[in-house]
Amino acid sequence: MKKTKKIVAAFLCVAMLFGISPHNINFNEFIIFKAFAAEYSDDYFVYNYEVDSAQNATITGVYPLNDTDTLNIPESIDGYTVVSIDLLNMNYDYYKSIVKVVIPSTVKTVSEHAFEMCPYVTQLTINSKIWDSIYVSAPSLKIINITSKVETIVSGYISSSVPLDEVNYDYAVLDNIFSAPYISLLNIGENVEAIESYFDTKSINEIYVESNNQHFSNDSNGVLFNKEKTILYNYPGKNMLEKYVIPDGVKIIKNCFSEDLTEITISNTVTAIDSHAFSNSPHLETVYCSDNIESIGSYAFGNCPLLKLVVLPDDKPIMIDSNTFDGTLIYEGLPSDMADENIIWDDDVLYIYNHAVASKENTAYVIMQEGTKSIANSLFSGSETLESVYIPNSVGYLGSNAFENCIKLSSISIPGSIKTIGSDTFSGCSSLKTVKIRDG
């Protein structure tokens, strides 16, 4: 049986203060402008709540009446739509049986402290149609369910300080709205149709995609692809494999960070490695690259501190973006016991299998190696000392911004055989007087 208590004494006092007879007051109209607090009960719980001037309810407390393992927050209380949860203080022994909380479609906001005192809650289901500002930080969560009823997410997150067993995600856009130190399984539902470019899988062990999803798929190692498996979207960072072979058919690699991988073999169908694709992988040592690679994005291997070998095709030009190998053993200089004749610093330029990928400051005169196929984007950009450069006939790609703002560069010799010159290659070269284009 439902019970309701509304506190109206304050309104009566105000009325009497101004000499207004209580019999002449229309309380229904007055409540529109004045919030009030009340209490409501169903068969299992007593709810404390407040009603705002728009006649929407906020849950401010919950107390159990009868045994149940699930708290289903009601969509409405006494005709007032429940749109917010302010505090669920379930920090006492008589809450131990309540391990599941279900948030209804009407709730738009959840305060950051709402679940902080809910040590027994292990499973949370969110059905909020409009997710304006939902912040959940629960100390013992194990399972998170974000259902297909969610239509819009403006801001918010769900975080757990302990490892999660699974996240079941069925909102249309896969985004960074959940976090934990470790997530055993991310289960992607049939309604997910897009992934934010910055979606982070560093803490995830395995990704599984429902078979009826029309946009995405996974392989036996729990790696996320598009449905056709031509794009590798996300490698689960907590997967404990040490070696992984990118499957045949994949053309683009987007995010392949891993905590444990030491060796990657990239199949010959791959033509593009996106920016930051492997960056910050702490144990990655060796990469065998596709013979058909055409482009490698900025910081693709950046800050992989143990990276000592990247095998690139040495007979064709590649678009290599800036800072691709910064923070690696390759960039810092291989120790003698790891020396490789195909990875060398020469004349203050770093070559990897005939591709010039980095340079050092204070370089004044550069004669690039014969056989060089590519000059990376921004290779000498911003150099305050570079004065003269010779580029051999073998170069087929001259990168964007390669000599941008080289204020002392006065002369350069380039072959007419170059097939591609990027944008703004010589932008800001205020001293450049001679550009010699040779036959060949």
Side-chain angles (χ1 to χ4, degrees):
M1 182 177 179
K2 299 181 178 179
K3 302 176 184 177
T4 304
K5 295 191 299 182
K6 300 181 180 178
I7 299 173
V8 296
F11 303 132
L12 293 173
C13 292
V14 172
M16 295 174 67
L17 180 65
F18 288 94
I20 302 173
S21 171
H23 300 290
N24 295 326
I25 298 175
N26 184 335
F27 284 101
N28 289 328
E29 291 181 1
F30 192 71
I31 289 172
I32 293 174
F33 302 98
K34 184 69 176 178
F36 67 89
E39 186 179 278
Y40 165 91
S41 65
D42 58 20
D43 292 338
Y44 294 98
F45 295 96
V46 176
Y47 299 89
N48 286 343
Y49 70 98
E50 296 177 352
V51 174
D52 62 19
S53 61
Q55 299 194 53
N56 290 321
T58 295
I59 302 293
T60 58
V62 177
Y63 305 93
L65 291 175
N66 295 301
D67 286 342
T68 180
D69 68 347
T70 303
L71 168 59
N72 282 290
I73 304 293
E75 291 191 350
S76 65
I77 292 177
D78 284 341
Y80 302 110
T81 301
V82 176
V83 298
S84 180
I85 300 172
D86 183 56
L87 185 64
L88 297 178
N89 184 356
M90 299 194 295
N91 196 27
Y92 303 99
D93 286 348
Y94 50 81
Y95 290 102
K96 278 186 177 180
S97 65
I98 305 167
V99 295
K100 302 176 185 178
V101 175
V102 179
I103 296 177
S105 61
T106 55
V107 169
K108 298 181 180 181
T109 64
V110 176
S111 78
E112 293 187 56
H113 306 294
F115 284 83
E116 284 184 352
M117 292 187 290
C118 299
Y120 308 115
V121 174
T122 60
Q123 181 169 328
L124 175 67
T125 299
I126 298 184
N127 296 308
S128 300
K129 183 177 180 180
I130 299 174
W131 189 333
D132 271 351
S133 179
I134 294 179
Y135 294 91
V136 176
S137 181
S140 303
L141 273 182
K142 289 292 185 180
I143 299 174
I144 297 172
N145 303 310
I146 300 170
T147 75
S148 60
K149 292 183 180 180
V150 178
E151 295 182 2
T152 303
I153 295 179
V154 179
S155 68
Y157 62 81
I158 307 169
S159 68
S160 175
S161 57
V162 298
L164 289 169
D165 291 338
E166 62 184 77
V167 174
N168 299 301
Y169 193 105
D170 208 19
Y171 171 58
V173 181
L174 196 55
D175 202 349
N176 293 323
I177 57 173
F178 55 88
S179 66
Y182 178 87
I183 300 171
S184 181
L185 174 66
L186 168 62
N187 184 50
I188 296 176
E190 65 175 307
N191 295 292
V192 178
E193 57 188 39
I195 300 176
E196 289 289 359
S197 59
Y198 48 80
F199 178 64
D200 187 356
T201 53
K202 288 183 174 64
S203 62
I204 297 174
N205 173 64
E206 181 182 1
I207 301 171
Y208 175 79
V209 181
E210 296 289 344
S211 59
N212 51 1
N213 185 294
Q214 299 300 306
H215 304 279
F216 303 104
S217 61
N218 63 277
D219 69 3
S220 59
N221 293 299
V223 181
L224 180 62
F225 302 85
N226 66 338
K227 191 69 174 180
E228 299 78 16
K229 287 189 168 66
T230 57
I231 302 173
L232 189 161
Y233 276 107
N234 290 90
Y235 185 93
K238 293 290 188 180
N239 186 307
M240 296 180 68
L241 287 176
E242 292 186 1
K243 296 182 180 182
Y244 182 64
V245 178
I246 307 293
D248 285 338
V250 174
K251 296 180 179 179
I252 300 171
I253 300 172
K254 288 192 170 291
N255 183 355
C256 208
F257 164 88
S258 167
E259 283 199 359
D260 295 290
L261 280 177
T262 62
E263 180 178 303
I264 287 278
T265 300
I266 299 174
S267 67
N268 283 334
T269 57
V270 173
T271 59
I273 300 173
D274 275 11
S275 298
H276 299 272
F278 297 91
S279 64
N280 298 302
S281 296
H283 297 105
L284 186 61
E285 297 179 3
T286 305
V287 177
Y288 297 100
C289 208
S290 163
D291 288 341
N292 296 305
I293 195 73
E294 296 175 0
S295 65
I296 303 176
S298 61
Y299 291 99
F301 300 97
N303 297 319
C304 295
L306 301 182
L307 186 62
K308 61 184 180 181
L309 176 62
V310 176
V311 179
L312 298 174
D314 60 3
D315 59 351
K316 55 173 284 186
I318 302 172
M319 192 292 289
I320 300 175
D321 217 332
S322 58
N323 308 108
T324 300
F325 299 96
D326 284 15
T328 65
L329 268 178
I330 291 173
Y331 182 85
E332 300 301 330
L334 295 173
S336 57
D337 60 335
M338 297 181 185
D340 186 316
E341 62 181 7
N342 295 300
I343 301 175
I344 60 171
W345 280 96
D346 181 55
D347 209 5
D348 289 332
V349 175
L350 174 60
Y351 297 89
I352 300 179
Y353 283 81
N354 292 334
H355 305 281
V357 300
S359 68
K360 292 182 178 178
E361 296 180 0
N362 303 320
T363 300
Y365 304 97
V366 175
I367 299 176
M368 306 198 77
Q369 285 190 342
E370 293 294 335
T372 300
K373 300 298 180 182
S374 313
I375 296 176
N377 295 348
S378 304
L379 182 64
F380 298 102
S381 179
S383 172
E384 297 181 355
T385 58
L386 187 65
E387 297 181 22
S388 178
V389 178
Y390 173 85
I391 299 174
N393 291 340
S394 55
V395 172
Y397 176 78
L398 178 54
S400 297
N401 310 100
F403 299 97
E404 181 183 31
N405 294 324
C406 292
I407 56 175
K408 289 188 176 181
L409 182 64
S410 59
S411 65
I412 187 168
S413 175
I414 61 176
S417 59
I418 287 182
K419 296 178 180 179
T420 304
I421 299 179
S423 61
D424 298 316
T425 302
F426 300 103
S427 175
C429 295
S430 54
S431 300
L432 187 59
K433 300 175 181 177
T434 303
V435 178
K436 183 179 180 181
I437 301 177
R438 310 185 310 274
D439 293 335

